Amino acid sequence: MSELLVPASQRAAFAAGRFLRVVNWHNTPATDRARLRAELAWYAARFDPVRPEHLDRFVETGDWGLDRPGVALCFYDAYLNHVTVAAPVLEELGLTGWFLPPTGALDVPAEQQRAYADAHDIGLLPDEPEAPWLMTWDDLARISERHVVAAHTAHHSAAVDIRTDEDAEREIHEPVRRLTEVTGTVPPAFAFLHGTVPVAGTTAGDAVLSSGVRWAITNTAYVRIAD
């Protein structure tokens, strides 16, 4: 966008650090730990980690309540190395992560995980040749003690593929219920595969909007969808 099309008030806000940066990771193998730590350390030196309460405060008051620009550090797709690599690095640096697991992946036995990953667009890497590759519900419960857990469907589904009430129950309502049971709180946010926004009047959109989740995560924004 041309600078001339951005209101002066918005340019001033950006210049003063009043913006949210969202950064996404997927697979975080042990062989890449040093690079991941360097990336996260760069953000730790320049940004404050954003939690759901900061997003809510901003909508309600116009103030983040943070000293520096906010960053949401998002980890998608339920990789076991989120537990063994990403979460420990975040904690070492004093950062909070957002973890978005497709909940169906948490139930897959180790010997079936490669086939499941191949069938559901979850990429596995050749330098991690041995199962398990995906986390369990117990792993997720431990992550939720220090980090944010949000919903990402059951089987890594796109909104356009959720067409029936049965689809919505499986991919949206059931994951939200199970995450609530395990973490003790309704997931604060929901993301579809490909980052599409929930659209009212569609089966998928209406299911998310009625789920009790407060935020939708898209490819370009966090969108408040409920109070």
Side-chain angles (χ1 to χ4, degrees):
M1 178 182 293
S2 168
E3 183 176 324
L4 295 176
L5 298 179
V6 179
S9 59
Q10 185 170 323
R11 294 200 302 273
F14 287 160
R18 294 194 295 274
F19 61 88
L20 171 65
R21 177 169 289 186
V22 181
V23 190
N24 299 332
W25 287 267
H26 290 79
N27 210 337
T28 58
T31 53
D32 233 11
R33 185 186 189 280
R35 182 169 68 174
L36 175 66
R37 190 190 185 286
E39 291 172 352
L40 291 172
W42 189 91
Y43 289 107
R46 294 164 174 82
F47 294 82
D48 285 334
V50 164
R51 296 183 59 90
E53 55 264 31
H54 298 125
L55 296 174
D56 294 334
R57 175 173 172 164
F58 181 76
V59 168
E60 292 159 6
T61 71
D63 177 26
W64 287 112
L66 301 172
D67 294 329
R68 300 180 296 174
V71 64
L73 306 165
C74 299
F75 297 82
Y76 284 87
D77 297 352
Y79 293 102
L80 179 58
N81 52 44
H82 291 172
V83 181
T84 59
V85 178
V89 171
L90 287 165
E91 290 157 18
E92 176 187 342
L93 296 170
L95 295 170
T96 298
W98 291 63
F99 291 86
L100 296 100
T103 54
L106 307 181
D107 293 315
V108 180
E111 65 274 11
Q112 298 175 22
Q113 287 180 2
R114 181 168 290 281
Y116 180 89
D118 290 344
H120 294 90
D121 199 22
I122 297 174
L124 301 180
L125 300 175
D127 55 1
E128 289 193 306
E130 296 182 0
W133 297 284
L134 305 176
M135 69 172 73
T136 67
W137 285 102
D138 287 341
D139 294 327
L140 188 70
R142 288 193 292 274
I143 281 180
S144 73
E145 295 173 1
R146 298 280 298 273
H147 303 280
V148 180
V149 173
H152 192 37
T153 74
H155 299 292
H156 211 209
S157 296
V160 295
D161 295 322
I162 299 172
R163 302 184 180 93
T164 68
D165 291 342
E166 291 77 12
D167 293 339
E169 173 63 25
R170 181 186 66 252
E171 297 298 326
I172 297 168
H173 294 302
E174 179 64 13
V176 169
R177 283 197 299 270
R178 294 198 70 183
L179 290 174
T180 302
E181 292 168 1
V182 170
T183 68
T185 185
V186 175
F190 190 100
F192 288 115
L193 176 64
H194 307 314
T196 51
V197 67
V199 177
T202 65
T203 299
D206 287 346
V208 174
L209 294 170
S210 68
S211 68
V213 172
R214 303 194 305 280
W215 293 86
I217 303 176
T218 78
N219 281 339
T220 58
Y222 274 47
V223 181
R224 181 74 170 258
I225 60 174
D227 294 326

